[in-house]
Amino acid sequence: KLLMLGSNNGSVYIIKKARERGLYTIVTDDQELSASPAKKSADEIWDISTADVDCLEKRCREEGVEAVICGVSEFNLDRCLELTDHLGLPWYFTAEAWSYSRNKIKFKQACRETGLPTAEDFPVPENLEDWSEITFPVVVKPADMCANRGLSFCNCREELPAACRNAESLSPSGKILVEKKIQGKEFLAYYAMAEGECSLVSLSAAYFQPGKPSFCYSINTSVVSDLARYIETTDRKAAEMLKHIGCREGFGWIQFMMDEAGTFYAIEMGYRLPGDSGYIPFYEACGFDAVDWLLDCSLGIRHTKEELPVPLRVPFEKPACSYVLWSDCGGTVTEVSGFDKLSDIPGVLLEINVHKGDRIEPFQQLANVVFSSGCCEEMCSRLKEVNDVVSVRCQGEDGESRDVLIRYTDYEFLMETDRKGRK
């Protein structure tokens, strides 16, 4: 029996993989069935809040639960660590190793200790109106939040106090970071781990639609032009840093920004699956399934370093892609259409986070389309297909109904990036 805590991005896929392995699956949270997609796929449902670890422990003992897992929720990952410790069940990270994902200040210190470049940060004064030397532009963010919550970009001193107060209000610890904004490309480097050794599974880049906000990354894909440079300058240091902080088993990623000089700066890490589900196409691309790897960990199947995937050294022949659909403006959703036409396509995973009647904000993630392709040209064709068939219409404050999706259309950029990366 496998218990999953909560239902969020990637959870349905985890349940699917677990059931394929013959596991009896249980999903628990305090949400209605309509708001908890993984519940619809499970063998059994519990309506116990994932925050109530004592109640979950008692029920697990009564029902003979033998393994625990969850999706990308950092709150639920905290609970998994706590619950498995109480039950004496396997879990893939220690509290110390996990703390580097939860604390950006601690993560940056580990990067410095192992020679992994990280953005310069500036001390925050007690009086937020009183700043000493600082170089703009800067990024202001909570030290212990994920998914860009509380993040602001500041171009002058006048913008700092409000940005700092906003970040402080969202930080559980009240601690914030103010650091130099690195201008350049964003990457995620994914690593599998076993016996304290790390292997690079994929290097993916994040691209936004020209003319739209740079934080609205529409495309997360293995189509990159800088893999060779990453391997030459950064891969070894990244693996050393992960080993240094105690990442011995499982799967995780490091977010990087590469500046114009070609230096990769580590921004943060996640000792977990990424929220965009971009790891799912890895199996088609290179034969590695991150969910199977983590299921093994939850079941007490210990991987050896010889079982690690061969480190990535050349671009995937079959590009992996996660297409995130953002809202261009806010309003009340009046229609969500076209996604059913994609659901029947083999190899396509849909995660839809919006429904008719929902109230949405500008630049909100509404849906995610994940797939692999035979080549970059085929990937672009799939993106065009998505753009043609899906629609989310909203009624704004002016009473007008409009399609609010930000569609990625810079196909030539993707093709040129792929050509450069394969030279």
Side-chain angles (χ1 to χ4, degrees), residues 106-171:
K106 194 171 180 179
F107 167 74
K108 293 189 71 169
Q109 181 59 36
C111 290
R112 295 187 181 104
E113 290 169 358
T114 52
L116 190 63
T118 187
E120 177 187 6
D121 53 89
F122 305 97
V124 180
E126 289 188 16
N127 182 353
L128 294 179
E129 307 292 336
D130 183 23
W131 286 86
S132 55
E133 293 185 9
I134 187 170
T135 305
F136 291 95
V138 296
V139 181
V140 179
K141 54 191 176 184
D144 41 17
M145 292 293 285
C146 62
N148 290 336
R149 283 174 288 182
L151 181 145
S152 302
F153 299 118
C154 296
N155 296 301
C156 61
R157 291 178 185 271
E158 290 72 22
E159 296 174 348
L160 277 170
C164 290
R165 283 191 285 269
N166 177 55
E168 281 182 341
S169 70
L170 293 171
S171 167

Side-chain angles (χ1 to χ4, degrees), residues 184-296:
K185 303 176 186 178
E186 181 177 328
F187 296 88
L188 282 184
Y190 301 92
Y191 286 88
M193 305 149 200
E195 295 185 318
E197 299 297 327
C198 304
S199 178
L200 179 66
V201 175
S202 175
L203 182 70
S204 295
Y207 305 124
F208 62 93
Q209 171 68 5
K212 300 301 179 182
S214 60
F215 61 82
C216 290
Y217 288 110
S218 295
I219 303 295
N220 295 288
T221 176
S222 59
V223 173
V224 297
S225 59
D226 306 287
L227 174 60
R229 183 167 187 82
Y230 178 81
I231 292 169
E232 178 185 355
T233 64
T234 312
D235 176 43
R236 180 181 58 79
K237 292 178 182 178
E240 287 177 357
M241 190 279 296
L242 292 171
K243 187 173 182 178
H244 173 70
I245 64 176
C247 295
R248 295 191 53 80
E249 310 289 337
F251 179 79
W253 46 266
I254 305 174
Q255 178 190 0
F256 290 94
M257 294 293 295
M258 188 186 80
D259 67 7
E260 293 181 353
T263 300
F264 288 86
Y265 291 88
I267 304 300
E268 63 178 322
M269 68 167 289
Y271 201 174
R272 58 172 174 82
L273 298 170
D276 71 347
S277 300
Y279 54 89
I280 293 175
F282 290 171
Y283 184 76
E284 288 293 325
C286 68
F288 175 78
D289 192 309
V291 168
D292 269 334
W293 195 260
L294 291 179
L295 279 170
D296 283 348

